[in-house]
Amino acid sequence: MSSSVSVANENGVAVVTIDNPPVNALSFHVRKPLYDALAALRDDPAARAIVIVCAGRTFVAGADITEFGKPIEQPELRAIVALLETIAKPTVAAIHGTALGGGLELALGCHFRVADAGAKLGLPEVKLGLLPGGGGTVRLPRLVGALKALGMIVSGTPISAGEAIAAGLADAVVDSNLLAEAIRFAREMADRGGPFVPVRDRDDRLAETDLAAFDAQAAGLAKKARGLEAPLACAEAVRNAITLPFDEALAAERLLFQKLVSGDQSRAQRHLFFAEREAAKVPGKDLQKRRIERVGIIGAGTMGGGIAMAFANGSLPVTLLETSEEALRRGLATIEKNYAVSVSRGSLTEEAKQQRLGLFKGSTDYADLAGCDLIVEAVFEDMTVKKEVFGKLDAIAKPGAILATNTSYLDVNEIAASTSRPEDVLGMHFFSPANVMKLLEIVRAERTAPEVLATVADLARRIGKVAVVVGVCHGFVGNRMLAARGSENEFLLLEGATPSQVDKALVDFGWPMGPFQMGDLAGLDIGWRNRKARGQTAVIADTLCEQGHFGQKTGRGWYRYESGSREPVTDSEVEALIRAKAAELGIGQREVGADEIIERTLYPLVNEGAKILEEGIAARASDIDVVWVNGYGFPIGKGGPMFWAALEGGPRIVERLEHWHRQTGRPIFEPAPALRRVAETRAWEGAGAR
Ligand code: T1G
């Protein structure tokens, strides 16, 4: 036996235990002994039945993602599943935790699946730009039907044990003693006697498929793929399960998998999987994380209310502080309305809504925050106001409480320095709506203690956020790079592009929407206020704001919006305004192509990321990718700006930046030294600060 796979015999039932922390991934050092053990047990008369179970916190959570892109060592998962299906005696998968990907495919190779009540079962490969490559696209439809399988595989969303038994994926669900119950189940099956039909030979659920309905659902899902190949391949593979004999469908799945796994999109999405986990790691040995059991939020406006909901959604009691009873009432009413909308949409039960609302306590007295372990301020974005708040917090917060500012731009060092406890101060930059957006920039000030960072990074996971530790500068990582991405927008318009041409170029690249539509959504007045505060101008946007056109909220901005509609409609008056401004400035008009738009928006984005790396504001290039994919909608199939830049090729980006620098003389196009280094080494690692 090996340390990863062991076999015991429980009165005639063989128990095969997989032990490969942390998630029992099907690494080669698991697959080989597992195959050998099953081959031996197949012919072992002392084993009347076989149970496969996992040690640790979860059943097999998938193939070992770190093995992709390297030569495959035999036996592959497919061979193990094929072997399982030659076993005549009953085989049972005992599932706890998350049976995902190759883990669920292993379980599908068994005759039966017994799941712990808290278990989840799913095929999330699409999130890695893949499809189930161990037979899942051909076996799952045979148990749950093609339409249910299509939804599970294209979404990648796991289902609960209860849903699994209702769908026909699990054969029993137990509340406790999973292994004992699975052994008992296996023994009962052996006593009952066979034959035991392997999943591959079960066609009953497939026979009922309405192919037209399947194709209609698949077409609807394809519309949401937004340039991603994996969702389409998933649907094709499941359709093959319906229309082709098993072995042909299995062979087709293999070909589709091989194409995806070697493609850039899957490499990009696998890069993001590990990048997200790296970004939340805080360097430092044995950091003593602090207990966070009660959170205080100052400010019940849009951000404060959203932040409060984010913590309540993570089951943390929240004290919400406002300056007046009226403001507090308004804030709490908005929170209740938001939860009510979720209930009406079916994404939250009424019971869960009441449970979460029960976690809120309102107050207008700072003294009520004295018991909080973490206090986050989300007051007006003004340094004087922030310092006043932190002065009060310094006076009332208990020793060891973590004090966080939600500022988007202000200097967290300056805020920390205004307290007697700078080591307990940091930034927690949420993105609006804070109860929805995944990204949380954890802003590390100069004196923030490492265990404070580690505590907040851990807390971020608890409330379902994707955390990235960033340094202090204007706009930290995301918003600083956003400014770089948008710095040429008006120049492009003045030279001849229209807002819809710029937006289309970026949407065709894979963004959910372009910068002008995004501006209308967020409100043009926000940028206008920021520009005025910094003494900056934008000839066209400022004019729109002076005319009171702030975007969707006023019905007009870069586009027009029919009442009640969010659909942007080209506004001829805006285009006339752009032409008039260009004429005033003596700027000649010309065709501006999509390639130029990408070069003048996304190459400065990458260049600013390179500067951020050099300055140590981000520890890794992959951290920057995590920020942009989770906070700004950078297409996941391109892996984030820095991963994409490596695909584009540093030399080409440098060459084009130099071209636009010569054309315009604007510093935004001056290639950063780190970018030049990447152009030489083709890798960001080591491109940071020397
Ligand atoms: N392979 C390798 N490492 C993995 C891994 C995997 N499948 N899953 C997790 N890890 C590492 C992770 O990088 C981290 O490492 C540690 O385990 C803890 O993970 C053939 C082709 C299971 C829900 O997509 O969704 O099967 O940072 O921090 O929050 O058809 O991990 O500690 O060094 O995420 O408790 C399909 C991916 C693979 C599941 C646990 N399976 N994993 O979440 O811990 S492809 C998946 C997860 C496949 C087959 C196909 C989550 C989790 P480190 P964690 P967690």
Side-chain angles (χ1 to χ4, degrees):
M1 280 305 99
S2 83
S3 61
S4 305
V5 175
S6 57
V7 179
N9 190 304
E10 298 289 339
N11 298 327
V13 174
V15 176
V16 179
T17 302
I18 296 170
D19 187 4
N20 182 26
V23 297
N24 287 312
L26 277 176
S27 313
F28 170 66
H29 64 262
V30 172
R31 296 198 305 274
K32 181 71 177 68
L34 177 61
Y35 185 94
D36 296 342
L38 293 171
L41 289 170
R42 175 181 56 188
D43 311 321
D44 176 357
R48 302 178 58 227
I50 299 170
V51 171
I52 299 177
V53 71
C54 285
R57 59 182 166 136
T58 179
F59 191 76
V60 175
D64 183 339
I65 308 173
T66 64
E67 291 182 352
F68 295 146
K70 299 169 188 163
I72 296 176
E73 294 183 275
Q74 298 302 335
E76 295 179 63
L77 168 61
R78 297 154 49 88
I80 296 169
V81 176
L83 168 67
L84 269 168
E85 293 191 319
T86 64
I87 296 175
K89 58 188 76 168
T91 54
V92 177
I95 294 171
H96 72 295
T98 51
L100 298 176
L104 182 56
E105 289 172 308
L106 175 66
L108 288 170
C110 296
H111 299 116
F112 305 102
R113 283 143 298 280
V114 175
D116 171 83
K120 289 194 178 304
L121 300 83
L123 294 173
E125 288 87 340
V126 69
K127 294 180 180 173
L128 297 171
L130 298 170
L131 56 69
T137 66
V138 201
R139 289 188 178 86
L140 184 64
R142 283 172 160 75
L143 288 181
V144 306
L147 283 177
K148 174 80 176 172
L150 177 68
M152 285 181 65
I153 292 171
V154 172
S155 71
T157 306
I159 61 176
S160 67
E163 203 178 341
I165 200 157
L169 176 54
D171 301 278
V173 174
V174 298
D175 290 323
S176 59
N177 302 323
L178 172 66
L179 179 55
E181 289 297 327
I183 291 169
R184 188 179 57 72
F185 183 96
R187 187 170 286 116
E188 276 176 12
M189 291 302 117
D191 292 346
R192 189 192 71 181
F196 302 102
V197 180
V199 173
R200 61 169 290 144
D201 296 334
R202 294 171 54 174
D203 292 335
D204 47 315
R205 294 300 303 267
L206 276 188
E208 73 197 27
T209 305
D210 171 348
L211 202 50
F214 178 90
D215 288 343
Q217 182 172 331
L221 292 169
K223 285 203 190 77
K224 298 178 192 153
R226 263 219 316 266
L228 291 173
E229 297 146 5
L232 307 180
C234 287
E236 181 183 342
V238 176
R239 194 178 200 278
N240 290 339
I242 306 164
T243 59
L244 299 178
F246 184 90
D247 288 327
E248 284 181 42
L250 196 63
E253 175 194 89
R254 176 87 179 146
L255 291 176
L256 287 167
F257 179 84
Q258 285 172 330
K259 184 168 175 295
L260 290 173
V261 75
S262 56
D264 287 342
Q265 287 189 359
S266 179
R267 286 177 52 231
Q269 291 177 249
R270 298 190 319 254
H271 156 76
L272 289 169
F273 175 85
F274 291 112
E276 284 182 12
R277 286 152 180 81
E278 277 307 304
K281 288 179 182 166
V282 173
K285 278 253 175 277
D286 309 326
L287 296 174
Q288 294 306 308
K289 293 169 193 158
R290 299 179 190 175
R291 287 173 67 83
I292 304 291
E293 293 175 335
R294 171 156 217 92
V295 177
I297 308 292
I298 302 177
T302 304
M303 283 311 290
I307 295 168
M309 289 177 70
F311 284 109
N313 296 347
S315 306
L316 278 156
V318 171
T319 300
L320 189 56
L321 187 88
E322 253 298 353
T323 51
S324 70
E325 288 300 337
E326 175 47 29
L328 182 59
R329 189 197 57 70
R330 255 199 329 272
L332 289 169
T334 302
I335 287 168
E336 177 146 17
K337 180 171 68 63
N338 289 340
Y339 279 133
V341 166
S342 298
V343 171
S344 65
R345 285 184 183 152
S347 56
L348 191 69
T349 64
E350 180 58 34
E351 182 195 0
K353 170 193 159 194
Q354 294 308 331
Q355 183 265 332
R356 290 181 190 182
L357 288 172
L359 291 168
F360 285 86
K361 204 175 87 178
S363 169
T364 58
D365 179 357
Y366 269 80
D368 287 341
L369 300 180
C372 293
D373 308 298
L374 165 71
I375 303 168
V376 186
E377 65 77 17
V379 300
F380 188 60
E381 189 75 348
D382 172 274
M383 184 57 88
T384 307
V385 174
K386 301 267 189 205
K387 284 182 173 178
E388 191 184 313
V389 165
F390 272 83
K392 290 176 184 170
L393 288 180
D394 206 10
I396 58 95
K398 69 180 182 183
I402 295 174
L403 309 181
T405 170
N406 173 56
T407 184
S408 305
Y409 288 92
L410 299 175
D411 184 339
V412 184
N413 289 321
E414 188 177 338
I415 293 173
S418 71
T419 72
S420 64
R421 47 176 115 182
E423 65 286 348
D424 292 338
V425 177
L426 77 175
M428 290 179 75
H429 179 216
F430 289 85
F431 287 73
S432 185
N435 53 307
V436 173
M437 291 299 284
K438 304 282 283 182
L439 178 63
L440 173 65
E441 282 184 320
I442 299 176
V443 187
R444 176 195 67 244
E446 281 154 12
R447 297 179 61 186
T448 304
E451 72 269 9
V452 167
L453 288 171
T455 302
V456 173
D458 208 45
L459 178 64
R461 281 167 70 104
R462 271 173 70 188
I463 63 173
K465 294 299 179 188
V466 174
V468 181
V469 178
V470 299
V472 176
C473 68
H474 184 79
F476 313 130
V477 170
N479 284 344
R480 171 171 161 182
M481 290 173 69
L482 182 64
R485 186 190 79 167
S487 64
E488 287 290 296
N489 287 352
E490 289 215 352
F491 290 116
L492 289 164
L493 297 183
L494 291 167
E495 292 168 35
T498 62
S500 49
Q501 283 171 342
V502 173
D503 283 351
K504 183 177 184 309
L506 288 169
V507 168
D508 289 350
F509 179 86
W511 296 86
M513 66 173 70
F516 294 111
Q517 193 180 349
M518 175 62 84
D520 278 355
L521 174 67
L524 301 181
D525 47 327
I526 295 171
W528 190 34
R529 189 168 56 235
N530 281 346
R531 287 194 295 277
K532 286 194 282 189
R534 303 191 73 200
Q536 293 171 343
T537 59
V539 287
I540 304 168
D542 290 352
T543 306
L544 291 175
C545 290
E546 283 150 14
Q547 294 168 349
H549 301 330
F550 297 154
Q552 287 190 21
K553 59 179 146 185
T554 59
R556 291 180 68 178
W558 293 106
Y559 300 95
R560 281 180 187 279
Y561 299 86
E562 302 310 328
S563 61
S565 164
R566 289 171 166 261
E567 196 54 37
V569 176
T570 301
D571 184 340
S572 56
E573 289 182 32
V574 169
E575 302 202 352
L577 168 66
I578 293 167
R579 301 299 149 240
K581 289 289 179 187
E584 264 175 50
L585 296 166
I587 297 173
Q589 300 299 285
R590 63 183 175 84
E591 277 299 308
V592 179
D595 288 349
E596 177 177 342
I597 291 167
I598 293 299
E599 288 181 8
R600 293 174 62 180
T601 52
L602 300 191
Y603 286 4
L605 176 77
V606 169
N607 200 31
E608 198 64 29
K611 293 172 187 169
I612 281 168
L613 258 186
E614 275 171 345
E615 296 165 25
I617 301 295
R620 310 169 193 86
S622 59
D623 288 3
I624 295 171
D625 291 333
V626 173
V627 166
W628 271 84
V629 160
N630 289 284
Y632 298 84
F634 196 100
I636 58 173
K638 292 189 164 67
M642 311 310 266
F643 185 91
W644 168 69
L647 287 182
E648 278 283 283
R652 166 175 166 68
I653 296 179
V654 168
E655 189 268 322
R656 296 308 294 162
L657 283 170
E658 287 173 334
H659 164 78
W660 292 113
H661 190 229
R662 286 191 297 275
Q663 294 284 321
T664 67
R666 289 190 280 273
I668 196 84
F669 291 117
E670 176 63 47
L675 187 59
R676 291 186 187 281
R677 277 197 289 279
V678 164
E680 293 148 21
T681 64
R682 291 188 176 281
W684 283 105
E685 278 53 49
R690 287 283 183 208

